Amino acid sequence: MAYSTFLLHIYGLALFFLGSHPVNGDVSYSFPEEMKRGSVIGNIAKDLGLDLGVLSARNARIDTEDNGVKYCSVNLNTGDLVVQERIDREGLCAKKASCVLKQELVLENPLELHRINIRVQDINDNSPQFKEDSLVIEIRESADKDARFLLGEAHDGDIGENAVQGYSLQQNEHFKLNVNTKAGGRKYCELVLDKELDREDKKEITMLLTAFDGGSPQRSGTVVIHVTVLDANDNAPVFSQTVFEATLPENCPIDILVITVSATDADDGLNSEITYAFDHVSDEDSNVFSLHPKTGEVRIAGAVDYEKVSSYEMQISAKDGLGLVSYATLIIEITDLNDNAPVIYLKSLSNPIPENVSPGTEVGIVNVQDKDSENNKQVHCSIQQNVPFKLVPSIKNYYSLVTTGQLDRELVSDYNITISATDEGSPPLSSSKTVQLSVADINDNPPVFEEQSYSAYVTENNKPGSTLCSVTARDPDWRQNGTVIYSLLPGEVNGAPVSSYVSVNGDTGVIHAVRSFDYEQLRNFKVQVMARDNGSPPLSSNVTVSVFISDVNDNSPQILYPALEGNSFMTELVPKAAHGGSLVSKVIAVDADSGQNAWLSYHIVTSTDPGLFSIDVHSGEIRTQRDISESDSMKQNLIVAVKDNGQPSLSATCSMYLIISDNLAEVTELKDISYDEKNSKLTSYLIIALVSVSTFFLTFIIIILGVRFCRRRKPRLLFDGAVAIPSAYLPPNYADVDGTGTLRSTYNYDAYLTTGSRTSDFKFVTSYNDNTLPADQTLRKSPSDFAEVFGDLEGCSEV
């Protein structure tokens, strides 16, 4: 049954602080060896006064000082210290009287260390054994009664009462057994001659020797003794000293002489020939040293390691030729050399660590071990200086790896921390270990646009869905924290939602036009684009995108004056006394486009008298080129073309009707003028008909019918309501460009023509310009009044 004894050393307990950790007392238990795995040694939580919840929360575990076998573990649920590996006292401590297994209870956050000493108690699990299966003893018949013959001792792996306690000899008539105790408490036996031998009576004697221990149940071992009766050999070898001692540094080369043992025998001949041998040496020791059987030289046969065995104690026998034996002790002390570099163990590591951890946060626990002794075991630990971490000494040979500054994953995402450990040996030995730490990302960076603002340029009449521009924002964070999504911020353009004008691709940031733009309606507008990451919580930033719409020459010039309204004609009266350079009228036109697309130029396409009137190419003012003469036709018809400066150019045409007269009474004579002109046209038709009659008779008939039809038409002057030249009429989208279609205020004028009496006169008023033809009445005519004078002519056309 498992049992435990809790020993608390109250007299040696004192509290002090090492960094931020308390000193912890030792906990000791006594526990028999060879207990089953899972057996409870004791309740470590209760004995140390720890709450059960602390064990799990602080990652409690059992560790060893030298990182050897972990024979125990702690049950985090119950706090029990249980057997984890087989505990064999003989394997751990051999023949040592006290076998203490040292373990450590390690708690983290903060680091806390409790030493646990488990005293392993011996159980009687080993039987006494002799070195040989049989003992051969040669005894001369001359041996005296009570002569003693050393039989050696049986060895038991157990200690104390479980070790060899006695020997018994099979009943015989010649010998009895004498049991002695050595200085160390070990028992050995001697064969005592109780009755003289008679070689002629019996040459050989066989007996059974039994060794038994004091355990319960008791165990025993036997060996057969073969006694051969010889002639007398009355002197056993004698060693020069009972104990031989030597000191040897570790790591000596093979075959180095350690010491020479010697013994002498007073006999002569064969009886004095001595043979040396190790007496009952373990397999490990026999492989380390060799003993020359004749010379007694002890040499190194294997590796000598202070960290494994610091001293050797061996029994040496000297046996003469006829079997007399004597024994001596050989003690070899091994001295330590600095042959072990420190070993760095990473006990705990938080990886990855968030980039927003505060300075001084513990991210790992480092343990440094050196198997050497004294100064060779003193170790100094450090890390390189170019990382935001440092090592803080903790308990014993433990160090805490803590942060020294703020981390930023966007600057450094991974750290390779090299930990160096150097001992104080001569020469010093060192080792290093590289720890890789990754920095975990947090969403601490909003998206940043590559530019502070963006400008997009698009020509009007674009296709819906066309690309305007692209915005790009970068987020140095990782994965979803660095994934950027674009969207439009709510807003209005001309009272409509901004989403009805443009859209943005959420993944690429490409901005598309949702509709076709009209420069004459909208010349520019601004939208706000937001870039948002996918972090939690998300971060965002905005940027302004200015969209500029450029003009396209998509509007023809619009002629405001003269304008055909229904069936009415705009007619100007020109005084017969007008001089060259007089202003008689003006063509007023505008263009809804802008820039050079709205630069207008005026040209006379056709005129009744090409040399009589001219038009200013920029202002559209119609002036006389010379003085009006009596021979000039009363009716003057001008066709004026207005062109813009776009590519390609757009134009519009209109007709100007000018009557050279000083009063309205002369207007009635236009019928005759028209008739004469009709006759001239008939003459042309007759000439054409006469030429073509020989080739195409039918064409002649058609022309004759057409001429007759034309004769039936009668010119009439119809006077409609007053027609006024507008003084200031501009369309809503008119581009105000001086000299490109706008009538200047200095040339505004009115003309009036009364209806009724055929003898009515024109009434002229002072012009706003010295060169402007004076008129203060509006010419009012009906479409029927001028239909016979000018025929069916269109007032205005656009190209």
Side-chain angles (χ1 to χ4, degrees), residues 127 133 274 281 292-293 341 406 541 553 711 716:
S127 299
D133 295 334
I274 299 174
V281 178
H292 196 282
Q406 191 65 46
S541 60
N553 191 27
R711 284 182 176 181
R716 295 180 297 172

Side-chain angles (χ1 to χ4, degrees), residues 423-441:
D423 60 28
E424 293 184 358
S426 181
L429 298 179
S430 62
S431 62
S432 63
K433 185 180 186 67
T434 300
V435 178
Q436 185 174 12
L437 272 176
S438 298
V439 182
D441 182 53

